[in-house]
Amino acid sequence: SQQGEEDPQALSIQEGENATMNCSYKTSINNLQWYRQNSGRGLVHLILIRSNEREKHSGRLRVTLDTSKKSSSLLITASRAADTASYFCATAYNNAGNMLTFGGGTRLMVKP
Amino acid sequence: SQTIHQWPATLVQPVGSPLSLECTVEGTSNPNLYWYRQAAGRGLQLLFYSVGIGQISSEVPQNLSASRPQDRQFILSSKKLLLSDSGFYLCAWSGVSRNQPQHFGDGTRLSIL
């Protein structure tokens, strides 16, 4: 079963608007990661946030983590048409192999 | 810098035929290696992972197998493909210490006829 579940499943916004995607998970984690996938391509790592961190920034990306609610959010500010992609959260639990459990993803469309 | 190569990009195979997908990593030593399958419009399902040469762990029972004959080579195989094996297969690597991201290849689109 999937550990993380993204919400919404699909999001359509205009260029320049902000996009917020949410992720919920079920068990304790070491870290939570966000990935981006363009259609038909591999995943690209965006941000890793550790279980003892609450917020992290990278350029136009802002990730928050609330371990008490077992949830995370990804905010993309001032979106661009090139941000159109699927975004996945993935949780890492305590394991030797750095294994991740992925959610079903949010499909983001940014209209020019 | 590290790179990951996965091939072929697309593959069309008849039911019952064998399969071999290869993944190689360059620029790093002793990586953790992973094979995932992704159904259309869905998330990734972990199939196999490896923490060293000859060490393979399977996450789900299936018609597939994996091998790691060399440190930076990971192979996904099947002796007889099923229709249900169709999908998008992704290889990834990560460092061995905790809190490491995974780095993905460009995937193989496998269609079974």
Side-chain angles (χ1 to χ4, degrees), chain A residues 30-31 35 37 97-99, chain B residues 34 38 49 95 97-99 102:
Chain A
N30 282 345
N31 66 71
Y35 289 80
Q37 183 181 33
N98 277 324
M99 289 181 293
Chain B
Y34 314 87
Q38 184 179 30
Y49 70 95
S97 56
R98 284 176 62 174
N99 295 311
Q102 291 187 11

Side-chain angles (χ1 to χ4, degrees), chain B residues 57-75:
Chain B
S57 296
S58 174
E59 286 296 289
V60 294
Q62 58 205 307
N63 185 42
L64 303 168
S65 62
S67 62
R68 185 172 177 174
Q70 300 179 47
D71 181 44
R72 289 169 289 178
Q73 183 185 30
F74 206 21
I75 298 172

Side-chain angles (χ1 to χ4, degrees), chain A residues 56-75:
Chain A
K56 214 162 181 182
H57 297 255
S58 176
R60 294 184 295 112
L61 306 180
R62 172 178 170 254
V63 168
T64 61
L65 179 65
D66 187 334
T67 53
S68 66
K69 294 181 179 179
K70 293 186 170 58
S71 67
S72 173
S73 67
L74 169 67
L75 169 67

Side-chain angles (χ1 to χ4, degrees), chain B residues 94-108:
Chain B
S94 78
V96 298
S97 56
R98 284 176 62 174
N99 295 311
Q100 296 287 316
Q102 291 187 11
H103 307 277
F104 285 80
D106 280 337
T108 295

Side-chain angles (χ1 to χ4, degrees), chain A residues 43-101:
Chain A
L43 277 71
V44 174
H45 178 258
L46 297 176
I47 288 185
L48 182 153
I49 186 165
R50 301 187 184 200
S51 59
N52 60 354
E53 297 175 313
R54 291 297 167 258
E55 188 171 312
K56 214 162 181 182
H57 297 255
S58 176
R60 294 184 295 112
L61 306 180
R62 172 178 170 254
V63 168
T64 61
L65 179 65
D66 187 334
T67 53
S68 66
K69 294 181 179 179
K70 293 186 170 58
S71 67
S72 173
S73 67
L74 169 67
L75 169 67
I76 304 175
T77 60
S79 64
R80 305 166 182 169
D83 293 328
T84 294
S86 291
Y87 292 82
F88 295 90
C89 71
T91 49
Y93 45 95
N94 188 20
N95 65 87
N98 277 324
M99 289 181 293
L100 297 176
T101 303

Side-chain angles (χ1 to χ4, degrees), chain B residues 19-23 33-36 46-70 73-79 89-92:
Chain B
L19 173 74
S20 180
L21 301 181
E22 189 162 341
C23 173
L33 296 172
Y34 314 87
W35 277 112
Y36 292 91
L46 179 64
L47 301 176
F48 301 96
Y49 70 95
S50 172
V51 298
I53 295 174
Q55 300 179 62
I56 309 295
S57 296
S58 174
E59 286 296 289
V60 294
Q62 58 205 307
N63 185 42
L64 303 168
S65 62
S67 62
R68 185 172 177 174
Q70 300 179 47
Q73 183 185 30
F74 206 21
I75 298 172
L76 184 69
S77 304
S78 173
K79 293 182 179 178
Y89 289 83
L90 290 154
C91 180

